[in-house]
Amino acid sequence: MKIVWRKEWVNDYESPWSVFEKLSLVNLVDRNEVLKVFGISRVKNIKQHIGDYHRNLLLLNGFDLQKLHQALDFDLLEHNKNIIHALIAPFHGLYNSRNHWFHEKLHWCPKCMEKGFHSWLHQFKLLDKCAFHNLNLVKSCPDCNETIPFLLSNKQLGYAFKCKCGFTIASFHISSWNEWKAPEQIDQAILEWIRSNMHQLDIQPRWIVHEQHCSLKLLIKAEPKETKHIESIEPLHQNDYYSQRFQKKLLRNYLKTFKQVEDKLLKNLLGKHQHCITQLMELRKINDMAEFPEICPYAYAYVFWRKALLKKEHFYDENGKIHTSEEAPLLIEGYLEYFSEQIVSFQMKTQQCIDTKILFWIMEKIIIQFSENFFNAWLEIAGERSKKISAPSWNEVNEMRDRSFPIIAFKYNFIEKSSSNCVEYHHFENEEVPAYKYVCPYQYESAIRDTYTMKSYTPQAVAILIRGDKDVENKILQNSVETYVKKLSFFNTR
């Protein structure tokens, strides 16, 4: 098969996706035919379904690389390796798989596509805007809203650069082929990041990040919010880290940090609403037949923030321990475990032991920032929800959790036998957090006194009150309490 191709159609930072789309377009073939022509012998012998492993664009697993090199007059694999190394070198060791740092679904810039160009920078998880045009990236077909796999595949794609629904991702005439090129301008800070990493094999410092909650612009431009110098190390061996004793110590540290945030809220913003919190948590009302009083928005935000963070079964308190948090913030245990494992892994490689001071310091920063963000998320919905007497589902709570997790990074400067070793805490401040101000219905002396003269009607208190007496009034009371509690329950699976 004679291939129509020009070497200059491959550009700096380009991904193989647009290379193969252009190859398909000019040769009037679909992607499966491209794979059959340039595939390794194993791929050519597959009679029916060729799996995604052989369609991978990062490692080009299914391709005869020598044959592809000859046809394109270009080493596509080496091109991949260079740009990918330049993007992720400072995170080396966080994950063994380079796939982890790139989206599985196609992300693209419409302006770049006008020139037949798609970049690895569009697929990089730490960039949510085009590095060339500063435009938001498109993540699904604008017409049918279906995502497109980042593979050499006909899934969700028809003709070259066209979705199966008919939407044209990029439209070209024959005369346009001469204009297939990369944009001339690139964000200079991103360019500096790439150049500084391009040819270095052992890069220092290392960054510890979560790829879904970080931004390359944070790593490039931000000054550290705080720096912790590594002085006297409190060493811990790796086996001891996994011991039950140390895991309990870690859990206590999480709890202590969460309580710092909780105590600060109760002392400051919530200081004038503690009787409102008591009223809601103990389900207090005037008498058996009265309606439950209006919920104070600030009490609502605190009570449900706390319930969600600690994954408590009930928002009300059966034991009278209103402000005592006796559990760890389990809602983010996955995030905490992720960061803890990465810190431990890096410390073992560089110091051959675990520095518990640094570990605790990093986890403290994460918990404080998340807990504050998460409270603001609850405060945002408290006005409407408290009036409607409703609570979000666990699915909605988990979405709130993910939105509230901070954009953070930890820069680990460690050079053996150096006195300047430190860890930097970088964090994007949310400049758009509005100040929610609600009118509390109980900010007068008689309302405060009335709260403490009311009786508690938690389900447990009602059960004790009626003690098996099933007369009509007691049945009405029990049903009204159950109905009220149900309205404020996180009702679906976590």
Side-chain angles (χ1 to χ4, degrees), residues 47-110:
K47 301 300 181 185
Q48 295 180 343
H49 177 68
I50 301 174
D52 290 350
Y53 174 81
H54 295 300
R55 300 175 182 276
N56 184 288
L57 296 178
L58 192 151
L59 299 174
L60 302 173
N61 300 310
F63 293 87
D64 183 325
L65 297 173
Q66 185 176 358
K67 192 172 184 180
L68 189 63
H69 191 166
Q70 289 173 347
L72 301 182
D73 191 20
F74 186 84
D75 190 338
L76 198 56
L77 182 63
E78 188 65 22
H79 170 82
N80 274 6
K81 286 180 178 178
N82 288 339
I83 182 60
I84 289 167
H85 172 79
L87 288 173
I88 69 172
F91 317 117
H92 178 72
L94 264 71
Y95 276 88
N96 293 325
S97 170
R98 291 181 293 176
N99 276 311
H100 175 81
W101 297 100
F102 299 92
H103 297 290
E104 293 181 355
K105 305 297 182 181
L106 186 71
H107 287 49
W108 73 91
C109 167

Side-chain angles (χ1 to χ4, degrees), residues 445-459:
E445 285 298 322
S446 60
I448 297 172
R449 287 196 304 270
D450 289 346
T451 297
Y452 294 108
T453 60
M454 293 176 181
K455 289 197 320 188
S456 174
Y457 287 89
T458 63

Side-chain angles (χ1 to χ4, degrees), residues 354-372:
I354 299 161
D355 183 351
T356 57
K357 279 186 178 179
I358 293 296
L359 175 62
F360 287 160
W361 182 79
I362 290 176
M363 305 312 282
E364 177 184 287
K365 299 302 168 194
I366 295 169
I367 293 169
I368 288 174
Q369 194 58 58
F370 170 77
S371 299
E372 290 176 352

Side-chain angles (χ1 to χ4, degrees), residues 344-359:
V344 167
S345 175
F346 182 75
Q347 288 183 344
M348 288 303 299
K349 287 176 182 176
T350 55
Q351 300 165 253
Q352 288 75 54
C353 68
I354 299 161
D355 183 351
T356 57
K357 279 186 178 179
I358 293 296
L359 175 62

Side-chain angles (χ1 to χ4, degrees), residues 410-444:
F410 297 91
K411 187 178 183 181
Y412 215 114
N413 301 285
F414 184 83
I415 302 172
E416 195 172 357
K417 297 180 181 179
S418 171
S419 60
S420 60
N421 292 329
C422 66
V423 178
E424 296 175 0
Y425 168 46
H426 293 253
H427 168 232
F428 262 159
E429 295 284 357
N430 189 349
E431 298 174 356
E432 299 179 0
V433 176
Y436 295 101
K437 292 185 178 179
Y438 300 112
V439 177
C440 170
Y442 307 113
Q443 289 302 302
Y444 48 93

Side-chain angles (χ1 to χ4, degrees), residues 20-48:
F20 287 125
E21 288 300 292
K22 288 181 279 194
L23 189 66
S24 297
L25 181 63
V26 298
N27 290 283
L28 301 176
V29 295
D30 75 6
R31 299 160 198 84
N32 285 338
E33 292 177 79
V34 171
L35 189 54
K36 283 290 187 180
V37 170
F38 293 109
I40 56 178
S41 57
R42 188 186 312 155
V43 169
K44 292 182 177 181
N45 291 330
I46 297 173
K47 301 300 181 185
Q48 295 180 343

